[in-house]
């Protein structure tokens, strides 16, 4: 499986299912035409292109969008990204958060903590944690898929683990780089410190299941 930064929507067999695709080429332009919001985002040149830069500053950084396309319900889906995470002791790096705010939620959170990668749902681990799989200064492909009520977490094309996940996801929002599990406007301890090179959201299809 190639990393998604090498996949173009023009030759993607699942193109019609893609509801968000950002490559952060010095902007938050979405190939599907959606207009994302951003807070305090800068861009960093990396590998002859750009990536969005996120930090654990009190001003907080994020890219986010509320849209009906993100009301997944119980459908299949694929959320994937190519991040670069700064390892942190004691605090996580939330890369993707579909919660609307503090409290129990069936919406997924993709997070790493000191090199450990996991999916967080309803206040607990859904898949993982997988120890030491995220290396500093690396740009790995990460994907969370769901097919027929079973979620799977993939890293660099390899399946890490799976778990039943039949819950209906109706939050209708995606936050990149920001932890929604705090009501504080300045508590950035669990926000992402690092980069996101590519983000893609496919609704109705679990990619990579046939690999």
């Amino acid at each position: 499986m190639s990393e998604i930064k090498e996949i173009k929507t023009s030759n993607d067999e699942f193109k019609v299912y893609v509801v968000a695709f950002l490559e952060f080429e010095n902007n938050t332009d979405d190939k599907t035409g959606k207009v994302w919001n951003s807070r305090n985002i800068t861009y960093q040149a990396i590998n002859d292109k750009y990536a969005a830069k996120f930090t654990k500053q009190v001003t907080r950084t994020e890219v986010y969008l509320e849209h009906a396309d993100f009301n997944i319900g119980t459908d299949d889906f694929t959320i994937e990204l190519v991040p670069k995470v700064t390892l942190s002791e004691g605090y996580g790096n939330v890369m993707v958060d579909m919660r609307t705010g503090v409290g129990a939620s069936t919406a997924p959170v993709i997070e790493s903590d000191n090199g450990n990668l996991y999916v967080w749902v309803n206040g607990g681990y859904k898949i993982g944690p997988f120890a030491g799989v995220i290396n500093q200064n690396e740009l790995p492909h990460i994907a969370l898929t769901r097919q027929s009520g079973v979620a799977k977490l993939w890293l660099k094309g390899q399946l890490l683990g799976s778990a039943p996940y039949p819950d209906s996801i109706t939050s209708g929002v995606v936050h990149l780089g920001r932890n929604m599990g705090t009501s504080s406007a300045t508590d950035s301890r669990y926000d992402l410190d690092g980069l996101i090179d590519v983000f893609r959201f496919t609704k109705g299809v679990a990619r990579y299941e046939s690999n």
Side-chain angles (χ1 to χ4, degrees):
M1 182 191 73
S2 59
E3 294 193 356
I4 64 172
K5 62 183 178 181
E6 300 173 352
I7 295 178
K8 306 300 180 184
T9 54
S10 59
N11 60 9
D12 177 15
E13 62 179 314
F14 301 122
K15 180 179 178 180
V16 297
Y17 298 97
V18 175
V19 295
F21 197 134
L22 300 113
E23 292 188 307
F24 297 114
E25 284 302 299
N26 218 16
N27 56 54
T28 56
D29 292 351
D30 187 328
K31 290 181 179 295
T32 70
K34 293 181 174 63
V35 179
W36 289 68
N37 306 290
S38 64
R39 290 193 179 102
N40 305 309
I41 291 296
T42 58
Y43 300 91
Q44 180 173 316
I46 186 168
N47 294 345
D48 298 321
K49 62 188 302 294
Y50 285 90
K53 184 177 181 180
F54 301 81
T55 64
K56 293 180 183 290
Q57 302 297 318
V58 294
T59 52
R60 307 194 72 179
T61 53
E62 69 169 325
V63 175
Y64 65 99
L65 178 64
E66 184 174 354
H67 198 282
D69 281 347
F70 302 143
N71 284 322
I72 306 170
T74 57
D75 288 349
D76 296 350
F77 68 85
T78 304
I79 299 170
E80 51 191 329
L81 69 159
V82 176
K84 176 182 177 183
V85 178
T86 299
L87 303 188
S88 61
E89 295 288 346
Y91 296 107
N93 282 280
V94 170
M95 294 174 274
V96 181
D97 195 334
M98 290 190 67
R99 297 174 295 182
T100 57
V102 179
S105 173
T106 59
V109 179
I110 302 174
E111 184 173 4
S112 72
D113 182 6
N114 196 27
N116 307 324
L117 180 64
Y118 51 90
V119 176
W120 187 267
V121 175
N122 250 334
Y125 294 117
K126 171 60 69 172
I127 309 176
F130 301 98
V133 297
I134 299 296
N135 299 313
Q136 194 171 14
N137 299 322
E138 188 178 42
L139 282 162
H141 172 267
I142 297 171
L144 172 64
T145 65
R146 180 170 72 179
Q147 184 177 58
S148 301
V150 176
K152 296 180 179 179
L153 183 61
W154 308 78
L155 178 68
K156 294 183 283 189
Q158 301 300 312
L159 178 63
L160 292 181
S162 63
Y165 190 12
D167 311 64
S168 180
I169 303 168
T170 58
S171 58
V173 65
V174 172
H175 294 266
L176 301 179
R178 178 164 177 165
N179 166 42
M180 296 302 296
T182 175
S183 58
S184 170
T186 59
D187 184 0
S188 60
R189 291 173 296 171
Y190 293 89
D191 291 352
L192 173 62
D193 194 294
L195 307 173
I196 295 180
D197 185 13
V198 184
F199 171 79
R200 183 168 63 183
F201 195 121
T202 307
K203 182 181 180 181
V205 170
R207 295 175 182 265
Y208 316 122
E209 289 289 337
S210 61
N211 287 11

